[in-house]
Every structure is written in C-alpha cells, then in structure tokens.
Amino acid sequence: MSKNEVVETTEAQIAVHWKEEEYYYPSSKFVGQANLTDPAVFDRFSLDNFPDYYTEYAELLTWYKYWDEVLDSSDAPCYKWFKGGKLNASYNCIDRHLKDNKNKTAIHFVPELEEERVQHITYQELYVRVNEFAALLRDTAKLKRGDRVTIHMPMGPDLPITMLACARLGVIHSVVFGGFSPSASADRIVDSQSRVLIVTDAYYRAGKLLNHKFNADEAVKIAAEQGQTVDTVLVWQRYPGKYSSETPMIEGRDIFVNEKLKDHYGARVEPEQMLSEDPLFLMYTSGTTGKPKGCQHGTGGYLAYVAAMSKYIQDIHPEDVYWCMADIGWITGHSFIVYGPLALCASSVIYEGVPTYPDAGRSWRIAQELDVNIFHTAPTAIRALRKLGPDEPAKYNYHFKHMTTVGEPIEPAVWKWYESAVGKGEAIIVDTYWQTETGGFLCSTVPGIKPMKPGSAGPGVPGIHPIIYDDEGKEVAEPGIAGNICIQNPWPGMFQTIWGDRDRFVDTYFAMYNTKPDSKDWRDWPYLTGDAATMSEDGYYRVLGRIDDVINVSGHRLGTKEIESAALVVEEVAEAAVVPVAHEIKGKEPDLYIALKPGIPATDELAQKISDAICEQIGKIAKPRKVWLVPDMPKTRSGKIMRRVLGAISNKGDVGNVMTLANPEVVEEIREMVQK
Ligand code: WT7
C-alpha cells in the first residue's frame, strides 16, 4: 500500500502505539534441558496438517482403546476429539505412574500457618486416598457415571483427591472457587443439577480460620428455593478427626468424610473406561449476561491438551518441583495444578493461603524449602509481591528455571521485575494467554525455541492459529492495529459446549464470524475469544483486554451485569452501572454507580448495604471500590446509561463531549462528587 493512500478504518481498528520491547533470550542451560527445542514443530503443526498433528498430544496419555477419528466435526462447532477412544483421567494422573514412581511426591501441601508441617503426598498415597474416597462417593453418596457434583472447597490436598475420585467414577465435577459466596455456589448447584455438595469445614486465610461449612448450609437453602434439592453434603475436615466449624451438622444430610472413610479403608475402585468425548468437568465463568456459563470440558481432548502444555510450554519434567500459585477453583488450578502436572508425574505444590502471609518473604521461603524450580503466578500477585517486598527474593536461596504469568496483560515494568528479582535473571518466562473456555494455552512463546518479549504473550502455541478480525469480519493483517482476536481452528482443550445451553455457546463464541450456520466444516467457525489484541511484525500477540462487559479483577473475569444485578436486589436501588477502574495491584476494580428510587435519601449506610449485597451474592472478589450514590445516571437521549462517561470519571480521564446526552449537567455533578 502506498503511503498516501487513505486507509479506511473501522472502530475496532484502533492503532495502538506500544513501544516495542527488546527480546530476552533463554539461556543455553535452559535450552539444553528443554522438552521442546526443535523449531520444526511449527511446520508439523501447520494448518495443512490439521487435525492430525494433535495425535502427538494424545500419545502422551495412556488409552484403554485408541480413537477411531481424531476430530469429529459433524456437530460443529461442538467438536468431539479423539472420538471413540477410551481412557480415564484419574488412571492417567495416578495409576500409570505407580510402576516406576509410586514413592515420588505427587503433592506438597503447604498449610498457611508456618508452624504446621508441610505434607508430602506420594503417588502411592494419592492412589490410596483417591480410591477410598471414590468408594465413598459411589457407595455412600450413590454417585455414578454422568452425575454432576458441586465442590466448594479451599486449597488443600482433599480438593484434588475429590476431583480425581470423581474422575475415576466418571462423575462430572463442578468446582466453585472457595472464596465465592453461598449464593454463587447455589447458582452452580442449580445449573448443574447437583444433588451432592462437597465442602471443607474450615480453612486459613491471612491467619484466620474461616468457617466454611456455614457457606454450605446457606447454599443448600438457596438452591432448594430455586428447586434443586441437595440430599447429601460431604464435609472434609481441615484437621481430620476434629470439627473446626461452629455450624452444626445436619442429621441425615451431612456426613463427615474423615469418619466415613474408615468404612472404605483399603477399597480399590476400578477406573471407569470413559469415552474421550465424555465430559470431565464443568467450570463456570462470567460473561456479558448475568448468568455464569458452565464451560463443559471433555476427557480425552482436555487431558491430552493440558498434558502437552505442561510438558512443552511449562517444560515440566518428572524431577521438577512445580508450584502454581493459582487457586484450584479456577481453570488455571484445574489445568496447571492438578491435571497437567499430575498427568506428567510431576510434583505439584499446593499452598493454602495468601502469598504474602505472614510477610512478603513467605512465597520465597516456600520456594527455598521445597526446592521449587518452576513457578507459576499472575500479574496481580507479582504486583503485590513487588510492592510489599521488592528485595525479598534475593534473601532466599531458591532458583527457578522457568516462570509463568497468566490471567491479564502484564506491564513490561512488572515483567522486568519478575525476570530480574524473582527469576534472578536465571529463569525464562512464558506469558500464557488463554481462558476458562480454552482449557489450556492459546498464545505463548515455546520457551526453548522463541525469545521472550515483555508485555507480549507471543505467537499461537503449536497448533493454535490465531487471526485478528475487524468488526466486519475482515482480517486485520497489518501489525500494530487492534481487532478481535479469534482462533481459526478447533483444538482438543477447548470446551465442548455451555452446560445445557448449546445455543448460547454458538451465539457467544461463534455467531459473530460464522456465515454458514449449517456448516460442518471447522473452517467456517472461527472461535471468538472476546479479547482485543494486536499482532506485531514478528507474529507475537499483545492482548489489550476484553471487548465485552467483563472486568478482569486480579486476573479473573467478573461480569459487569452480574454485579449490577446483585446491586439491583437492594430494594432502594433504581439503576446500577459498573465500570472498571485501574488498581495498582488488582489491575482493575469495579466502581459502582447507583441511582436510587425517587425520594430515597443517599446515606453511607445504604451504600454499605449495597456493597454487602454484592459480596453476599457473588463474593468478596466483586466488592466495589466505592459505591457512588448519584442523583441520576448520564444517559443518551434514547435512555442508555453512558458507562463510558462514568468510566472516564472514575479513572480521572477525559469525559469527552457530553453535550448530546439527555442530561449533560449531571456529568459535572458526578465528576465533582467522585474527583473531589
Ligand atoms: C481472560 C480469561 C486463563 C486463566 C485465568 C483467567 C485475560 C488471560 C492473559 C494474558 C493478557 C490475559 C483475557 C482472557 N487473560 N491471560 N497472558 N495476557 N490477558 O481465565 O477468568 O477465563 O479469563 O483473561 O482477557 O480473555 P478467565
């Protein structure tokens, strides 16, 4: 294109003027030991060879029966990977390692209290505990293949044991993040039709033993109001043999796992031979509309994909000690604390509590004590660790060879601190871009092949072929121009559908760029991530953030509609609008604007009540920075709330021209209130 030619740009095609960062290269020491160093992988995994290249990933697993077909797209965009193959995820993460590695540590559990001992659970021990608990699930809770069960548990070894026991029986688990409220847990119980809820009595968070059983009782009550009966609540004890909650057990419904397990000591449960396409679990995530979506992940495709990502991108070897700081209640924990690492016979660290408790050195003491050499965390944690103790890592004797960041874009300055202070200049970093829906990574550098670039996730991982489209569906091929990042091809780790809502699955993720709704050809179904991104000359992607109404708080998605509907439950509230506001550590925080019903006075108590209502319905993670009780919402003449204007006010930015609004004078009033 000649320089003088006028370029037509659509709204999505905003030019982004990032300063291109310098490359960082992996050390020869790292490359010398890396699992993947042959650049030919990118030729093997070219679109011409799709989908057969993914058999390389499936070969990492042990199958009872090989698949008949690599990809069945007859029901596109609901795909079946390794169709007809049979396997069991629990067998792949445990049993198959026993022959050579039964005495190796599978899980290092680090309690939050430093005076408590670290537990080292071997593969043999994991095998015993998973079998016994599977027997309990089958014989006491009467769960069978295909049933769904909701798990609301904090970080502890009992959580992966519970998940793997479900997987052994073919029971579909739905883990709810421990910090979520009873109401959020209830919504998931109802949507997944669970009649069994599994919880822990209590857990430590920032030095306090929290009563978690209380949440179970509330959740069961709310679920019942919505028509879903939970007949069995299984209660693990934080201290086996001792009940650490004040909430009474309910006769006939609640069962202490640690007592009941005695009936099953020594039990062995034959793993169910699951079809590759059978669902393994549900993981709920926020979207544009109020109701969270149950992302349904399959067995064979998902497990093959996460095993491959752990092996080739995280570079896990069986002799490594690997610590992912995420919570198992999010997809990161499912894929990269439990299923990926354990499928590879790695040693995976589970830490109960807050990374900076009781002080900013805690994480590095854990790394030192356990000899962690692969470390995985999120920008929000990196920012917190950097703020509270920038010089702490140097005081401890640990050495990472590899570090991961995930969840939101990382600022180059933070990336550089991570590299030099945490990694001590010795570790490579992968910035992995992906989502709950995608099961595993979409973009990242392959650490033994490609250099790193601070702030950029990198190219598509082998087999993933991203493309940037504008709003009209034209490819944005020019570097540095933003658009909607999509994936051209399906991949084994992608979710199969939204639980019970195929139409929403198609509408949300595929409708935008699909022109032939009846097509069975995967080429007609590019996957819409919902993120804006740019590509640079070298094919590296830089993710800018969500294009939908979702706020990324501490690396996790919260639907603005979800928060707004929670506020609207408060009787006095007439209208609610949520906007993201920049936060030093969390990345973004929700700011909440409220217009009250006529005649209701704006008081601090009422603002507090609204804030509490949100924590109650969703969880503390959604707590607004501030509840602004405003005289009126800025609105367009057609009555639409101008969230853009509120966002600019919250972030101390330019509100732009507001004269076309129905009520421009209110903007100044709100600005004074917020920016005073
Ligand atoms: C959204 C997905 C992936 C597991 C944890 C979050 C953002 C994720 C990155 C990254 C820039 C990122 C995207 C994405 N995101 N990783 N490396 N760089 N942005 O899972 O809650 O499903 O959120 O997080 O916006 O869509 P999630």
Side-chain angles (χ1 to χ4, degrees):
M1 187 186 314
S2 88
K3 270 208 181 121
N4 316 338
E5 219 169 298
V6 180
V7 188
E8 296 257 334
T9 51
T10 69
E11 274 252 56
Q13 292 182 319
I14 315 151
V16 182
H17 305 284
W18 293 108
K19 176 173 146 290
E20 278 288 316
E21 296 282 337
E22 301 282 315
Y23 286 132
Y24 284 60
Y25 290 88
S27 67
S28 50
K29 189 171 165 206
F30 178 84
V31 177
Q33 61 80 63
N35 280 328
L36 182 54
T37 52
D38 180 6
V41 66
F42 289 102
D43 302 328
R44 279 202 318 280
F45 282 67
S46 71
L47 269 185
D48 301 339
N49 299 328
F50 181 87
D52 291 347
Y53 53 68
Y54 277 126
T55 54
E56 271 190 47
Y57 290 0
E59 298 283 1
L60 295 173
L61 305 180
T62 305
W63 297 77
Y64 298 118
K65 173 182 174 285
Y66 272 122
W67 49 93
D68 307 316
E69 212 180 334
V70 175
L71 173 66
D72 170 7
S73 55
S74 61
D75 188 27
C78 296
Y79 301 104
K80 294 188 178 73
W81 281 94
F82 311 119
K83 193 184 165 210
K86 286 186 183 167
L87 79 167
N88 182 283
S90 164
Y91 179 90
N92 271 279
C93 291
I94 309 171
D95 305 40
R96 68 168 176 156
H97 306 317
L98 296 180
K99 189 169 150 286
D100 296 326
N101 285 300
K102 62 160 79 71
N103 297 321
K104 178 179 192 287
T105 303
I107 293 169
H108 297 278
F109 172 59
V110 184
E112 194 190 64
L113 295 188
E114 264 182 304
E115 57 268 32
E116 276 182 29
R117 306 199 56 212
V118 174
Q119 295 171 30
H120 308 276
I121 299 168
T122 61
Y123 274 94
Q124 174 70 17
E125 177 75 12
L126 186 62
Y127 172 76
V128 169
R129 293 210 213 168
V130 166
N131 272 279
E132 291 172 350
F133 188 59
L136 189 156
L137 290 177
R138 183 190 59 196
D139 301 340
T140 304
K142 306 281 182 246
L143 287 166
K144 54 177 199 315
R145 183 173 176 150
D147 289 347
R148 279 82 52 209
V149 58
T150 297
I151 302 172
H152 196 194
M153 291 172 69
M155 287 287 279
D158 301 337
L159 177 48
I161 287 169
T162 300
M163 293 159 65
L164 291 164
C166 290
R168 202 165 186 88
L169 297 173
V171 169
I172 303 166
H173 59 72
S174 164
V175 179
V176 181
F177 169 56
F180 270 150
S181 69
S183 160
S185 163
D187 288 346
R188 288 153 177 79
I189 290 170
V190 174
D191 191 73
S192 63
Q193 303 127 307
S194 303
R195 42 160 284 273
V196 176
L197 172 65
I198 308 177
V199 300
T200 304
D201 58 354
Y203 64 103
Y204 278 100
R205 195 78 202 155
K208 279 206 294 271
L209 188 63
L210 305 182
N211 176 1
H212 192 58
K213 165 64 163 58
F214 169 81
N215 296 324
D217 289 30
E218 287 296 300
V220 170
K221 204 166 80 197
I222 302 167
E225 283 160 19
Q226 295 176 34
Q228 178 63 38
T229 308
V230 171
D231 58 44
T232 305
V233 178
L234 301 177
V235 183
W236 287 92
Q237 289 160 323
R238 171 65 176 76
Y239 296 98
K242 178 178 145 206
Y243 189 36
S244 303
S245 161
E246 290 125 42
T247 306
M249 295 287 279
I250 293 183
E251 182 72 49
R253 187 198 72 182
D254 300 354
I255 296 168
F256 280 129
V257 171
N258 295 298
E259 260 168 36
K260 195 71 192 171
L261 271 177
K262 293 181 186 144
D263 297 348
H264 301 286
Y265 280 174
R268 297 291 178 265
V269 175
E270 202 43 45
E272 279 285 316
Q273 300 202 4
M274 305 304 289
L275 284 173
S276 175
E277 62 265 30
D278 281 335
L280 177 61
F281 67 86
L282 308 178
M283 169 62 64
Y284 285 82
T285 191
S286 298
T288 36
T289 61
K291 198 171 152 223
K293 303 171 281 197
C295 296
Q296 175 185 318
H297 283 282
T299 306
Y302 171 81
L303 198 63
Y305 198 70
V306 296
M309 292 300 107
S310 283
K311 179 158 185 177
Y312 301 126
I313 306 297
Q314 302 199 284
D315 203 54
I316 298 178
H317 299 59
E319 61 273 23
D320 292 320
V321 182
Y322 164 82
W323 180 18
C324 169
M325 233 189 217
D327 196 290
I328 295 175
W330 307 113
I331 190 71
T332 306
H334 274 50
S335 299
F336 298 115
I337 297 178
V338 181
Y339 287 114
L342 297 185
L344 296 181
C345 196
S347 298
S348 186
V349 177
I350 295 181
Y351 173 51
E352 178 179 32
V354 178
T356 51
Y357 181 86
D359 57 63
R362 181 64 192 277
S363 298
W364 320 127
R365 284 199 292 284
I366 294 172
Q368 173 180 283
E369 185 181 354
L370 297 177
D371 241 336
V372 172
N373 65 344
I374 306 183
F375 183 67
H376 183 164
T377 192
T380 179
I382 302 170
R383 288 191 290 260
L385 290 161
R386 175 175 179 240
K387 180 161 184 235
L388 296 174
D391 306 320
E392 286 298 308
K395 298 181 192 160
Y396 296 93
N397 182 22
Y398 68 81
H399 295 276
F400 296 153
K401 68 166 183 177
H402 181 295
M403 305 192 298
T404 300
T405 163
V406 65
E408 57 179 314
I410 184 165
E411 301 84 350
V414 176
W415 191 100
K416 287 173 191 168
W417 179 79
Y418 194 35
E419 198 275 336
S420 63
V422 178
K424 305 181 176 181
E426 303 163 336
I428 69 91
I429 297 180
V430 292
D431 180 347
T432 58
Y433 162 62
W434 58 296
Q435 312 176 299
T436 304
E437 293 87 338
T438 70
F441 308 146
L442 294 176
C443 294
S444 167
T445 49
V446 175
I449 301 178
K450 302 255 183 191
M452 312 156 241
K453 192 162 70 175
S456 291
V461 295
I464 296 286
H465 299 275
I467 188 164
I468 297 183
Y469 285 123
D470 68 11
D471 288 344
E472 277 71 52
K474 270 216 305 291
E475 182 180 355
V476 179
E478 215 182 318
I481 308 281
N484 303 324
I485 179 166
C486 296
I487 311 299
Q488 299 178 60
N489 58 295
W491 64 99
M494 75 189 283
F495 64 148
Q496 302 176 304
T497 186
I498 294 174
W499 178 255
D501 203 344
R502 187 189 194 276
D503 289 347
R504 191 174 176 203
F505 172 74
V506 176
D507 282 357
T508 311
Y509 300 98
F510 301 95
M512 182 148 174
Y513 295 120
N514 168 266
T515 51
K516 299 177 198 147
D518 295 324
S519 174
K520 305 292 168 223
D521 185 344
W522 57 268
R523 289 171 197 81
D524 290 322
W525 297 96
Y527 170 78
L528 177 76
T529 63
D531 286 307
T534 62
M535 193 187 71
S536 54
E537 305 272 0
D538 54 11
Y540 282 39
Y541 290 90
R542 181 162 201 151
V543 179
L544 307 171
R546 307 282 312 164
I547 50 177
D548 53 16
D549 294 332
V550 168
I551 302 185
N552 191 321
V553 181
S554 302
H556 293 286
R557 282 148 63 185
L558 292 175
T560 51
K561 292 261 172 25
E562 243 177 298
I563 304 176
E564 290 168 5
S565 353
L568 284 162
V569 166
V570 176
E571 213 186 334
E572 293 90 342
V573 173
E575 287 172 308
V578 166
V579 296
V581 51
H583 182 275
E584 197 188 349
I585 290 176
K586 297 183 193 171
K588 292 279 186 319
E589 239 186 343
D591 227 9
L592 177 61
Y593 287 86
I594 295 287
L596 296 169
K597 287 181 183 158
I600 307 247
T603 61
D604 289 349
E605 290 72 46
L606 190 48
Q608 186 62 45
K609 183 171 154 190
I610 297 166
S611 178
D612 291 347
I614 288 162
C615 295
E616 241 160 63
Q617 290 170 74
I618 304 174
K620 281 218 180 79
I621 189 168
K623 187 176 179 332
R625 173 184 78 132
K626 179 93 187 155
V627 178
W628 304 104
L629 302 175
V630 297
D632 196 7
M633 295 286 186
K635 286 192 184 147
T636 61
R637 296 212 173 143
S638 61
K640 242 182 99 183
I641 300 177
M642 289 297 286
R643 288 182 174 73
R644 183 183 57 74
V645 171
L646 296 171
I649 294 176
S650 280
N651 290 288
K652 305 204 163 36
D654 181 7
V655 296
N657 183 359
V658 295
M659 289 327 286
T660 56
L661 294 187
N663 51 355
E665 67 292 342
V666 82
V667 174
E668 189 47 31
E669 256 182 87
I670 298 176
R671 205 187 59 73
E672 263 169 40
M673 174 186 228
V674 175
Q675 297 183 353
K676 72 161 182 287

